[in-house]
Amino acid sequence: MISVKKENWNSYEKKPVILYKITNNYLDIEIINYGAIIKKLCTPDKNNIFENIILGYDSFEEYLKNPAYFGSIIGRNAGRIKNGSLNINNTSFQLTKNNGSHQLHGGFNGLHNRIWDSSYEIIEDKAILTFTTTSSHLEEGYPGNLKIIVKYIIQNNKLTIEYNGYTDQLTYLNLTNHTYFNLSGNYKENILNHEISLKTEGFFKVNSETLPTEFSFPYGPFDLNNKKIFRDILLDNDEQIKIVNQGLDHPFILKNNTNISGIIYEPKSGRKLELITDQKSVVIYSGNYLDEIKNISNNIKGQKYLGFCLETQDIPDITNINYSNISFTTNKNPYYQKTTFIFSN
């Protein structure tokens, strides 16, 4: 049995901020139409105690700032674009720069800080929340008038995110969701004792500005094909760990033709998160700067390693580092992406 409750939570630019509460026997989820943000996600531990396993805020005013992009849909592009230079068929489009000399997560007016049109339906044991927005030609510097539809599909113990993008001209689109997970429940601990495994071909090294530089085959703390504990990864002395403030903020290239791409497990709670995606890469971010966040929900102070992100997406900054392998969005080739998170105990 699944239910959806809809309520007006606040308002923004004379538009209602709608809060959706979705409940079944496996999951309790809260999602708002501002940024299509996943605000709360409760799952049971091994003793069947439901607790929140994602980072977020209690008030809408905090989401207006949201420097860590908690729970947001990210776009038109996930990650950084070097010098704000987007290269499409030998044409360079100058994007806005909101991260030093680079663009980060779609710029100042990305998909994360706007009201989306929203609706929901229930089909048997499945709830489908549909969020829709548009982005005009050259908004934040990107070409093409764009319509974006994101669907959150909740069924049993699965949360699936489907992304669709439709354009009237050649453009580039690379979307993701920026939820931070912490499987201990209600932030009782940081993520250092979580176990992670990932079916990966390798990863991209990054520079001091967290821009991808070169592909590397798996080694040491970056060989996640065999189960590792976050503590052993994040406290390693490898230069690539140090360069992003002692942690992970790297794109991992996923192996093709695999069902489960990654598994994260928290031993004390018994909670497990499995990842399935059709994307080339997943950026794993280990919350290396979360100590800069004053407070999150329940008056918990932000702290380093309090959560991790699994940002499924195209290879970051691909038009500047790996142009031959890029997939553009056109009016005949719309954008599509699908990622599923499976929660169990």
Side-chain angles (χ1 to χ4, degrees), residues 8-221:
N8 287 345
W9 190 46
N10 214 300
S11 64
Y12 177 69
E13 295 182 342
K14 299 182 179 179
K15 297 178 182 179
V17 177
I18 299 171
L19 172 64
Y20 293 92
K21 296 181 179 180
I22 308 98
T23 303
N24 64 17
N25 292 331
Y26 306 90
L27 306 171
D28 289 338
I29 304 179
E30 295 184 2
I31 302 174
I32 60 175
N33 67 332
Y34 178 81
I37 288 171
I38 303 175
K39 179 179 179 292
K40 194 173 185 178
L41 173 55
C42 297
T43 68
D45 67 2
K46 60 186 177 184
N47 298 313
N48 208 37
I49 297 173
F50 276 72
E51 294 174 311
N52 184 26
I53 62 164
I54 69 171
L55 275 58
Y57 298 114
D58 290 326
S59 72
F60 175 65
E61 288 72 24
E62 290 168 301
Y63 280 109
L64 288 176
K65 303 172 185 176
N66 200 11
Y69 299 87
F70 287 154
S72 302
I73 293 295
I74 299 298
R76 294 189 186 195
N77 178 71
R80 291 169 179 82
I81 293 182
K82 184 178 181 180
N83 298 324
S85 180
L86 177 68
N87 299 301
I88 300 178
N89 280 4
N90 299 318
T91 299
S92 180
F93 291 87
Q94 184 57 58
L95 310 180
T96 56
K97 300 176 181 180
N98 64 327
N99 186 244
S101 59
H102 315 298
Q103 189 189 87
L104 173 66
H105 291 336
F108 296 101
N109 187 33
L111 304 181
H112 62 282
N113 57 5
R114 64 179 65 188
I115 296 289
W116 295 55
D117 295 330
S118 61
S119 63
Y120 78 91
E121 59 182 329
I122 296 176
I123 303 175
E124 296 179 348
D125 62 344
K126 183 189 304 181
I128 304 172
L129 277 68
T130 301
F131 295 89
T132 305
T133 191
T134 59
S135 178
S136 60
H137 177 56
L138 296 183
E139 182 177 32
E140 299 297 315
Y142 291 92
N145 294 297
L146 195 66
K147 179 179 181 180
I148 299 168
I149 301 173
V150 173
K151 293 185 178 182
Y152 291 107
I153 303 167
I154 297 97
Q155 184 176 30
N156 299 326
N157 62 333
K158 298 179 181 180
L159 168 63
T160 297
I161 311 177
E162 288 188 356
Y163 309 76
N164 293 271
Y166 305 93
T167 180
D168 61 357
Q169 63 178 282
L170 180 70
T171 191
Y172 178 69
L173 189 59
N174 179 29
L175 307 179
T176 195
N177 177 275
H178 211 284
T179 292
Y180 292 72
F181 296 96
N182 181 327
L183 303 182
S184 70
N186 291 350
Y187 323 129
K188 288 194 295 295
E189 299 185 5
N190 60 32
I191 65 170
L192 289 180
N193 290 326
H194 287 50
E195 301 170 358
I196 182 171
S197 61
L198 193 71
K199 295 178 180 178
T200 175
E201 301 281 359
F203 73 103
F204 271 88
K205 293 183 176 181
V206 299
N207 62 19
S208 60
E209 295 179 291
T210 326
L211 288 162
T213 56
E214 62 177 321
F215 176 79
S216 170
F217 290 105
Y219 73 85

Side-chain angles (χ1 to χ4, degrees), residues 127-315:
I128 304 172
L129 277 68
T130 301
F131 295 89
T132 305
T133 191
T134 59
S135 178
S136 60
H137 177 56
L138 296 183
E139 182 177 32
E140 299 297 315
Y142 291 92
N145 294 297
L146 195 66
K147 179 179 181 180
I148 299 168
I149 301 173
V150 173
K151 293 185 178 182
Y152 291 107
I153 303 167
I154 297 97
Q155 184 176 30
N156 299 326
N157 62 333
K158 298 179 181 180
L159 168 63
T160 297
I161 311 177
E162 288 188 356
Y163 309 76
N164 293 271
Y166 305 93
T167 180
D168 61 357
Q169 63 178 282
L170 180 70
T171 191
Y172 178 69
L173 189 59
N174 179 29
L175 307 179
T176 195
N177 177 275
H178 211 284
T179 292
Y180 292 72
F181 296 96
N182 181 327
L183 303 182
S184 70
N186 291 350
Y187 323 129
K188 288 194 295 295
E189 299 185 5
N190 60 32
I191 65 170
L192 289 180
N193 290 326
H194 287 50
E195 301 170 358
I196 182 171
S197 61
L198 193 71
K199 295 178 180 178
T200 175
E201 301 281 359
F203 73 103
F204 271 88
K205 293 183 176 181
V206 299
N207 62 19
S208 60
E209 295 179 291
T210 326
L211 288 162
T213 56
E214 62 177 321
F215 176 79
S216 170
F217 290 105
Y219 73 85
F222 295 94
D223 186 0
L224 304 183
N225 286 293
N226 297 307
K227 181 177 67 177
K228 279 188 168 58
I229 300 172
F230 264 126
R231 179 185 304 277
D232 294 337
I233 301 170
L234 305 183
L235 303 184
D236 195 276
N237 287 322
D238 187 275
E239 183 60 32
Q240 279 294 301
I241 298 293
K242 293 179 178 179
I243 205 169
V244 291
N245 197 31
Q246 198 67 39
L248 291 175
D249 196 356
H250 296 78
F252 287 81
I253 308 306
L254 299 172
K255 291 181 178 178
N256 291 328
N257 302 318
T258 62
N259 185 17
I260 304 295
S261 295
I263 299 174
I264 296 89
Y265 176 70
E266 203 283 311
K268 286 188 179 180
S269 70
R271 291 187 176 93
K272 182 168 70 172
L273 167 58
E274 295 170 288
L275 172 69
I276 301 174
T277 186
D278 59 7
Q279 292 299 280
K280 298 174 188 174
S281 75
V282 56
V283 173
I284 301 179
Y285 174 54
S286 53
N288 314 327
Y289 293 94
L290 286 176
D291 54 344
E292 297 177 2
I293 306 298
K294 184 177 180 180
N295 281 302
I296 59 174
S297 57
N298 295 326
N299 290 319
I300 301 295
K301 188 180 185 303
Q303 58 180 283
K304 194 171 183 174
Y305 310 139
L306 191 59
F308 65 91
C309 296
L310 299 172
E311 303 167 54
T312 56
Q313 58 182 273
D314 198 3
I315 298 168

Side-chain angles (χ1 to χ4, degrees), residues 299-342:
N299 290 319
I300 301 295
K301 188 180 185 303
Q303 58 180 283
K304 194 171 183 174
Y305 310 139
L306 191 59
F308 65 91
C309 296
L310 299 172
E311 303 167 54
T312 56
Q313 58 182 273
D314 198 3
I315 298 168
D317 202 23
I318 190 172
T319 72
N320 288 314
I321 63 168
N322 195 11
Y323 187 75
S324 62
N325 199 27
I326 190 170
S327 177
F328 291 117
T329 299
T330 69
N331 57 354
K332 294 182 179 179
N333 181 39
Y335 178 88
Y336 179 78
Q337 190 217 128
K338 181 180 179 180
T339 293
T340 297
F341 302 101
I342 304 173

